[in-house]
Amino acid sequence: MRLSSRTFAVFAAAALPLVLAACSSGSTSSSAGTSPSAKPAKPKDPNAGLLTGTQLKAALAPASYFPSGFAADASLSRDTGDTYQAPATKSAAKPRCADLDATSWISLTGVEGVSFAQNSYISKASGELDQEIDVYRGTASTEVMKGLAKVVAACPSYTDTDTHSKVTVTGASAAGLGDDAYAITLSDSTWDNGTTLIAARVGTAVVSVLSTDGSDNGAASAKKLTVQVVASLKAKSDTAKQG
């Protein structure tokens, strides 16, 4: 059917709102398409809030703490500085038991932290006093403490490579030191004096000491040094949180 000019005008007028509506709809879609997308969340730093090796070094007992005759062994002074190392866990099923009588004996648990600081003071007359602080992520510090009893169970004794004699190893939980603590005693009938090792947890950190000072297998000196370092570490941790 042929449409008249009037009829065409009516159709054209009716179609105009549809065209305007289509343009309006397209304009809205275009605006939505150009809105900026949300930025991805920044990954959380796994070491946030953990003390660095430099901070831990400052928490160790100073030279003035040690009795007359003790001097620092520079070759045994180490720390991780202002950086962090990757944590690691290895099997502790067969620990090298003789390393109980060495610096960093805490690593026999098989758990390594992200920062640490350590040093040793030695006296030719009185023996050796070692101190170390290790910091761990999450709940790893509690695993270290649990691992100490396993190390003692795996190492009831070992042979001293110098005297070729048998060293007896005993261990037990200790009270009044940090959040929890564990003490190990090394004794040998051929030694002039035994050795006491103490580990004390302070939050995510573990303080570990070794002492051969004194006539009681180094027990009193080990506890005194642990108390000193634990108190200093708590103070450093509180200051860091406030900052």
Side-chain angles (χ1 to χ4, degrees):
M1 176 180 69
R2 184 183 178 90
L3 300 176
S4 67
S5 59
R6 182 175 180 278
T7 303
F8 179 81
V10 171
F11 272 86
L16 182 60
L18 296 178
V19 173
L20 292 176
C23 291
S24 175
S25 174
S27 175
T28 301
S29 174
S30 175
S31 175
T34 58
S35 62
S37 58
K39 294 182 179 179
K42 186 178 180 180
K44 183 178 179 180
D45 182 0
N47 299 318
L50 300 181
L51 296 179
T52 65
T54 299
Q55 292 170 311
L56 297 176
K57 182 179 180 180
L60 295 174
S64 59
Y65 164 86
F66 295 90
S68 175
F70 279 86
D73 184 336
S75 67
L76 298 176
S77 180
R78 294 185 290 271
D79 63 80
T80 47
D82 291 325
T83 61
Y84 297 94
Q85 60 187 15
T89 302
K90 58 184 178 181
S91 174
K94 294 182 178 180
R96 190 174 183 275
C97 301
D99 284 348
L100 281 167
D101 195 25
T103 58
S104 296
W105 56 269
I106 196 72
S107 63
L108 287 173
T109 60
V111 184
E112 296 183 5
V114 295
S115 61
F116 77 90
Q118 68 177 81
N119 60 35
S120 299
Y121 283 78
I122 299 173
S123 168
K124 293 181 179 179
S126 302
E128 181 176 351
L129 289 168
D130 301 337
Q131 56 180 342
E132 180 173 342
I133 309 173
D134 293 85
V135 169
Y136 306 85
R137 291 179 184 171
T139 60
S141 59
T142 61
E143 295 304 313
V144 171
M145 299 305 296
K146 293 177 183 178
L148 292 172
K150 296 178 181 178
V151 170
V152 171
C155 299
S157 64
Y158 65 90
T159 300
D160 185 322
T161 56
D162 293 328
T163 62
H164 304 290
S165 54
K166 180 182 178 180
V167 180
T168 301
V169 181
T170 58
S173 297
L177 298 170
D179 297 321
D180 56 275
Y182 194 85
I184 300 173
T185 301
L186 312 178
S187 56
D188 186 328
S189 59
T190 67
W191 291 354
D192 293 333
N193 190 33
T195 302
T196 293
L197 316 174
I198 297 179
R201 184 176 66 84
V202 180
T204 59
V206 175
V207 173
S208 56
V209 306
L210 179 155
S211 172
T212 63
D213 178 44
S215 58
D216 58 351
N217 296 327
S221 291
K223 183 176 181 179
K224 182 181 178 183
L225 179 56
T226 303
V227 169
Q228 164 73 25
V229 180
V230 165
S232 179
L233 178 60
K234 286 182 177 180
K236 290 289 181 184
S237 297
D238 290 343
T239 300
K241 290 178 182 178
Q242 293 173 2

